[in-house]
Amino acid sequence: MNKASKSAAAGLGFALFLLTACSGGSQGTSGDQGAANGTKIALGSFNQNSITFPAIIADEQGFFKKEGLDVQPSIAKSGPELAAQLIGGSTQIAAVSPDNIIPSIKQGQPITLLPPYGKMDMQFIAPKSSRITDVKDLDGKRIGVLSRGSATEKYARAIFKERGVNPDSVTFVAVGGAVTMEPALRNGKVDAVIGSTSSYITMASHGLDLVPFSDALTGDAGALSRDGIQVLWATTKDYKAQNSGTVNKFCKALDSAVKWINNDANRDAGVKSLSKLLGLKPDAAGRLWDQIHKSFFTSTDAAAWKTNVDFSAGTPNAVPFSAVDNTCGQ
């Protein structure tokens, strides 16, 4: 794996929504809801985040169009908002993190999860001037996380446990996403943060001299590096039952996008896309591409799924692997 910060790429978190004008519209001959000029999907997404890069590429490279889909993004401010919009029906498909969607499924929400997947992309980030280079240096320090109880705090606690550090020896501070994380770090409100590869590279491109460590993407997080998922996709069981062909086409488009992203030959175009998405200069966008473009994949298994359920719900059997339609689009 490669080096830099996670979520999941250009952010953390975690998703994409597509606004549909026809969720209750007329039925086509296939039984799918849609319109003559293409099936419409409202897709939930995070703003300015490389975590949802496959959907961005599927749009830019025409993979949605090839499948006859009219996909429109609906931007949410947080992972819980993405899940709430999906459950409430204002979006049909959403990019979600296991941490936000697994508890909803555990509570009985009728949700089906879909590929592709993005590897867990989280790391500790500290100013070089702090001389903090390892989790053992964080005793008594303040650590910035997205929000209290979020996946970023769970990641920190998991790494502390793995390294024999008492998580109660630090103070967790909610600093929000990349936009508000940077001033918190720059102004000394926190001593370190948990961020993604894109947040690290973005902050570094703004002149912050930073040290990343315990990076999940580079293999420094044990089972979470091996099996951890930062993002996957979700729809409701009702929508999938009524629009199975549309959902399968969506998965096929993202499958094509992942293959495109994984291909080294597409680096130049991918760098341009990331540069536009995150407002990065080409050299910074290139470093981000090099770190994340192999971090998306199209299939997982039951053992890996248990790692993610355990991380999100505190027990590996809270949500069965059957909640994932692992073959969608294949």
Side-chain angles (χ1 to χ4, degrees), residues 26 44 58 73 97 114 149 177 180 248 256 273-274 285 301:
S26 59
S97 68
L114 311 167
T180 49
N248 196 61
S256 296
S273 180
L274 288 172
D301 58 38

Side-chain angles (χ1 to χ4, degrees), residues 20-107:
T20 178
C22 305
S23 68
S26 59
Q27 300 289 329
T29 57
S30 67
D32 282 359
Q33 297 173 358
N37 63 347
T39 300
K40 294 184 178 181
I41 301 175
L43 180 64
S45 175
F46 290 111
N47 191 26
Q48 293 183 318
N49 198 311
S50 62
I51 291 173
T52 55
F53 198 36
I56 293 162
I57 292 301
D59 179 37
E60 292 180 351
Q61 296 298 318
F63 298 131
F64 285 141
K65 185 177 181 179
K66 180 180 178 181
E67 296 298 334
L69 300 178
D70 178 6
V71 175
Q72 299 297 322
S74 175
I75 304 301
K77 296 177 182 178
S78 67
E81 183 180 337
L82 285 168
Q85 289 179 344
L86 180 67
I87 293 167
S90 61
T91 59
Q92 288 73 59
I93 299 176
V96 294
S97 68
D99 184 65
N100 287 314
I101 207 66
I102 283 174
S104 297
I105 299 173
K106 181 182 177 183
Q107 292 166 10

Side-chain angles (χ1 to χ4, degrees), residues 98 102 120 221-229 301-317:
I102 283 174
M120 183 165 285
L224 293 177
S225 284
R226 184 183 67 245
D227 298 330
I229 294 172
D301 58 38
W305 180 244
K306 285 189 175 184
T307 298
N308 290 280
V309 176
D310 190 30
F311 176 80
S312 300
T315 174
N317 299 311

Side-chain angles (χ1 to χ4, degrees), residues 230-243:
Q230 185 88 0
V231 66
L232 67 167
W233 308 82
T235 189
T236 62
K237 290 184 177 180
D238 282 349
Y239 183 80
K240 186 173 183 293
Q242 297 172 25
N243 302 274

Side-chain angles (χ1 to χ4, degrees), residues 9-311:
L12 241 180
F14 307 62
L16 268 150
F17 283 106
L18 298 172
L19 288 169
T20 178
C22 305
S23 68
S26 59
Q27 300 289 329
T29 57
S30 67
D32 282 359
Q33 297 173 358
N37 63 347
T39 300
K40 294 184 178 181
I41 301 175
L43 180 64
S45 175
F46 290 111
N47 191 26
Q48 293 183 318
N49 198 311
S50 62
I51 291 173
T52 55
F53 198 36
I56 293 162
I57 292 301
D59 179 37
E60 292 180 351
Q61 296 298 318
F63 298 131
F64 285 141
K65 185 177 181 179
K66 180 180 178 181
E67 296 298 334
L69 300 178
D70 178 6
V71 175
Q72 299 297 322
S74 175
I75 304 301
K77 296 177 182 178
S78 67
E81 183 180 337
L82 285 168
Q85 289 179 344
L86 180 67
I87 293 167
S90 61
T91 59
Q92 288 73 59
I93 299 176
V96 294
S97 68
D99 184 65
N100 287 314
I101 207 66
I102 283 174
S104 297
I105 299 173
K106 181 182 177 183
Q107 292 166 10
Q109 293 293 342
I111 292 170
T112 296
L113 300 173
L114 311 167
Y117 315 95
K119 288 180 178 293
M120 183 165 285
D121 179 5
M122 294 188 200
Q123 62 188 216
F124 289 80
I125 307 167
K128 186 175 289 186
S129 60
S130 70
R131 298 186 180 180
I132 296 172
T133 59
D134 188 86
V135 294
K136 293 183 178 180
D137 298 328
L138 292 170
D139 183 49
K141 298 295 192 296
R142 298 159 298 169
I143 301 177
V145 294
L146 180 65
S147 60
R148 291 305 314 271
S150 66
T152 51
E153 181 174 338
K154 290 177 181 177
Y155 180 79
R157 290 181 177 275
I159 298 300
F160 283 141
K161 182 178 179 181
E162 183 181 273
R163 307 291 168 83
V165 176
N166 181 3
D168 294 330
S169 68
V170 307
T171 300
F172 290 104
V173 181
V175 297
V179 173
T180 49
M181 176 191 300
E182 180 173 333
L185 199 59
R186 188 183 292 275
N187 297 326
K189 301 291 185 183
V190 292
D191 301 295
V193 296
I194 305 295
S196 68
T197 301
S198 61
S199 57
Y200 163 68
I201 289 179
T202 299
M203 290 189 293
S205 73
H206 294 164
L208 282 174
D209 198 3
L210 302 170
V211 175
F213 54 96
S214 298
D215 185 346
L217 273 187
T218 62
D220 294 338
L224 293 177
S225 284
R226 184 183 67 245
D227 298 330
I229 294 172
Q230 185 88 0
V231 66
L232 67 167
W233 308 82
T235 189
T236 62
K237 290 184 177 180
D238 282 349
Y239 183 80
K240 186 173 183 293
Q242 297 172 25
N243 302 274
S244 59
T246 296
V247 173
N248 196 61
K249 289 176 180 179
F250 176 84
C251 292
K252 285 181 67 176
L254 289 198
D255 182 86
S256 296
V258 167
K259 289 181 173 67
W260 189 96
I261 294 168
N262 289 167
N263 189 342
D264 291 329
N266 295 319
R267 186 181 189 276
D268 288 348
V271 168
K272 287 181 181 178
S273 180
L274 288 172
S275 181
K276 178 182 177 182
L277 174 68
L278 297 172
L280 294 173
K281 292 182 178 180
D283 60 337
R287 291 196 300 274
L288 180 58
W289 167 272
D290 292 339
Q291 297 300 322
I292 70 166
H293 86 104
K294 297 291 189 180
S295 68
F296 298 101
F297 55 106
T298 58
S299 183
T300 187
D301 58 38
W305 180 244
K306 285 189 175 184
T307 298
N308 290 280
V309 176
D310 190 30
F311 176 80

